[in-house]
Amino acid sequence: MINLKGVCVAVLLLSFSTTHAQVNSNKQGASFKFNSTDVEIQFYSPSIVRVFKTPVNKPYKKSSLVIIKTPDKTNVTQQREGSNLILRSLALKVVVNETNGSVVFYDLSGKQLLKDSTTTFTPKEEAGSPSYNVKASFVLDADEPVYGVGQVMDNKFNRRNSKYVMKNENTFTYSPYFMSVKGYGVYWDNYSISEYADSPGNLSFQSLGHCADYYFMYGKNADGVIKQIRSLSGKAPMLPLWAYGFFQSKERYTKQEESLEVLQKYRSLKIPIDVIIQDWRYWPEFNGTDSAWNSQRFDTDRFPNPKKWVDDIHKLNARLMIVTWPGFGPKTDQRKELDSKKMILNFDTWPPKSGARPYDVFNPEALNIYWKYLNERIFSYIGNDGWWLDSTEPDHINVKDADFDVPTHLGSYRSVKNAFSLMHNGGIATHQKAASKDKRVVLLTRSGFVGQQRYGSNTWSGDVGSTWEMLEKQIPAALNYTLMGIPNWNSDIGGFFAGRWNKEGGAKNPKYQELYLRWMQFGTFCPMMRSHGTEVPREIYNFGNRGDWCFDGQEKMINMRYRLLPYIYSTSWDVSHNDGTFMRPLIMDFAADAKTHEIGNQYLFGRSVMVAPVTKPEVSSWPVYLPASTTWIDFWTGEQLAGGQTVNKEVPKDIIPMYVKAGSILPWGPAVQYSGEKKWDDLDLRIYPGANGRFTLYEDEKDNYNYEKGSYSTIDISWNDAKKELTLYTQKGTYPGMLVSRKFNVCLVKPGLNIGMQANTAGKVVNYNGRQVTISFN
């Protein structure tokens, strides 16, 4: 059980004056009093330092909702030089100045990384209890780019010279975290409605709480920082293979036959699909009202046999994801029980005028009650495959200032609001995993917070509008979000609110068709590829027939997604096992190229394929920056291009700019109608020459948690560019049903040959039995 005096704010409290600090060193750090502040510095590892501050004589016991790591035993040497105490680990040097109370972080070469400026505690009464406004400021280099902060729809990538009220709402998802291009990150451990502000020479967080508590992480590069924030807050688990297929949804399928008909049409058209999603109001109404909102029961008229419904979905080789909300109408059993135990937050949530109110996700017993009903009425009853967790901010209807004073199990709602999604996702994920190890947890959620990656959550960008401007804003928002260590993100393909298009022909309107197709191209290269929205139905057959440009363009991208599944699933393993990232902004791999520091509209999907989604209508070409020090190969033509230049790529409506790093080894899977239809016993391996390269092909049972016990296999593959040799190394690991032999069709990509969506027409066939083999292309 977590107790709220543990909800705090992260920042530093150092005033610059002539007061002399009394510094006491210990094995893993130091503590001191300076002016009116107690400061403790503790190494959590050689690369991670926690700084914890409280007003003097106001000790505070902190229990974090995010941090699950306990400090490693770390060798810290200590040295005094004049008024400085120098703490040194194998990765960092931290200098505490006894004269002015400053704490400065350096790398071991002596390069200054970050300096705290001031931290202030201003007394404040919070919902009738004493608290503080805590403000901490940091000094950065004047021209130092930083990223993170969250998913913000302002079309900015670099977060310098920006100000945000950090209050999680529909389409805006914040965490008090930033990452520098210099290779360090800061997470301020606080969940209250907060402020982020940056101006020349001063970056600050201001929050509500009883302490300033932050973690400085030095990873040398973005990958290193992400590795460290996950070491602090939890690693990302594997999702099942089907979670990387195509999802179809709408607001909403009203009866069980409707979603089955959608799947049957996709199957008859031979358009790949893996998941159908059931949105709200599958439950019965109460006297024509929403007072039974989210009862988690099925309406007997519209869903007369929900178990058979899900069985029929599974017989069509598809999966069901079903929505559940954090709020309950007053006529539901859940609301009555939670109300009786004072586990309901006393403000209105969605839908309006329903009387629905959210439950107290900060109360462990409330999480148990929520799962009890969800399991009995849905999971153990119908055997659904995933959860759509809508409104996880949550929605707040008829907002009043007093609503934020509402008590939760951990204090005022204001003091913990931003962690609502983290706790709600965590309650469902941990309960499901405890109930079943046969199905990996898959969550689609509308909000997020640092640490949520440990629950298998995939955040979507919320109810965004169907406009070109909003499509453009998705990309930097997604990249900043994933730089916080949360790898899974997606958006409603085509935008959610499409009313303006519905009045102008809907899916038959060529202008909307172009927007939708460009959005689908972007969605193909997101961790989840999901079509959803209101007003305009998004199923592919609503856009025309095979032979129509919009239909064919969608089919092309959906097929692209499925052919890339071996690459995507192996990337998922890299994310889980190596703390990798799906959507990699260019600063992750090319930070030395200063031109990448402001580029937030293109990225690498995995470690090999760079995409630059088209976000303007009626364009014939699209500018793409090719980062320096790398040779790039046009996916569609095979043309080799030098890095360090901007090229204008011709972009007919069915083409998204795609460039592959030289040295990449790209596995190309079979044409399938669903993710698990065919074994990967006959894969193409596309080799993109021009540099040495490596790739690890990962395989397992496609679902369940046996991989956590070592039930999986990997095949390391390397390309020696000078020798023109490809080596398939001995297969490692084993799992039930593992292939013992297979065929690889190895193709050396050249201009005009074996490129784009074409099948392998020339190359070398390798019969592989799990033992090392080398193929020469000399």
Side-chain angles (χ1 to χ4, degrees), residues 3 7 21 32 121 140 174 179 193-194 229 238 385 397 438 476 527 531 543 584-585 672 680 688 702 712 719:
N3 105 30
V7 174
F32 61 93
F121 290 84
L140 286 69
Y174 296 98
M179 172 193 291
I193 298 170
S194 303
I229 189 62
M238 289 284 293
D385 306 286
I397 308 297
D438 294 329
S531 171
F543 292 86
R584 301 176 61 84
V672 293
W680 295 346
Y688 291 82
K702 303 181 179 65
Y712 62 86
W719 169 252

Side-chain angles (χ1 to χ4, degrees), residues 293 326-330 335 338-339 344-350 354-359 400:
W293 179 265
F328 295 102
R335 172 68 172 277
L338 290 162
D339 254 333
I344 286 290
L345 303 184
N346 192 26
F347 60 82
D348 292 336
T349 189
W350 189 266
S354 66
R357 291 185 171 176
Y359 78 117
K400 301 180 287 294

Side-chain angles (χ1 to χ4, degrees), residues 546-611:
R546 193 169 272 117
D548 297 331
W549 65 267
C550 188
F551 185 104
D552 290 353
Q554 291 181 59
E555 182 178 21
K556 180 177 185 176
M557 296 317 298
I558 294 172
N559 279 321
M560 166 84 77
R561 178 74 172 198
Y562 280 82
R563 300 303 291 268
L564 285 171
L565 280 180
Y567 173 76
I568 294 170
Y569 201 53
S570 297
T571 298
S572 178
W573 169 247
D574 180 52
V575 168
S576 180
H577 189 65
N578 302 316
D579 296 304
T581 302
F582 278 109
M583 302 176 76
R584 301 176 61 84
L586 302 186
I587 58 106
M588 291 194 74
D589 296 280
F590 307 101
D593 183 348
K595 291 183 179 179
T596 68
H597 296 176
E598 302 292 333
I599 296 177
N601 63 348
Q602 59 186 80
Y603 59 95
L604 269 70
F605 185 63
R607 297 184 185 269
S608 300
V609 181
M610 183 173 69
V611 293

Side-chain angles (χ1 to χ4, degrees), residues 633-704:
I633 294 130
D634 187 318
F635 175 85
W636 301 105
T637 68
E639 178 186 9
Q640 289 196 5
L641 298 160
Q645 62 170 323
T646 297
V647 298
N648 287 304
K649 172 66 180 174
E650 291 185 5
V651 285
K653 291 185 179 67
D654 66 335
I655 293 294
I656 176 175
M658 293 173 59
Y659 293 86
V660 184
K661 284 197 304 185
S664 293
I665 301 165
L666 190 64
W668 190 248
V672 293
Q673 297 302 297
Y674 56 94
S675 59
E677 182 184 13
K678 297 178 183 178
K679 295 181 178 181
W680 295 346
D681 57 355
D682 189 4
L683 293 182
D684 289 358
L685 287 182
R686 298 184 176 192
I687 313 304
Y688 291 82
N692 294 335
R694 297 186 69 88
F695 184 81
T696 298
L697 181 68
Y698 172 86
E699 294 171 289
D700 63 15
E701 295 173 80
K702 303 181 179 65
D703 207 340
N704 74 44

Side-chain angles (χ1 to χ4, degrees), residues 259-271 539-542:
S259 54
L260 287 170
E261 288 169 0
V262 171
L263 285 172
Q264 288 162 350
K265 286 183 181 180
Y266 271 82
R267 293 289 180 244
S268 66
L269 287 167
K270 299 191 182 302
I271 303 294
E539 296 83 10
I540 189 171
Y541 44 79
N542 290 299

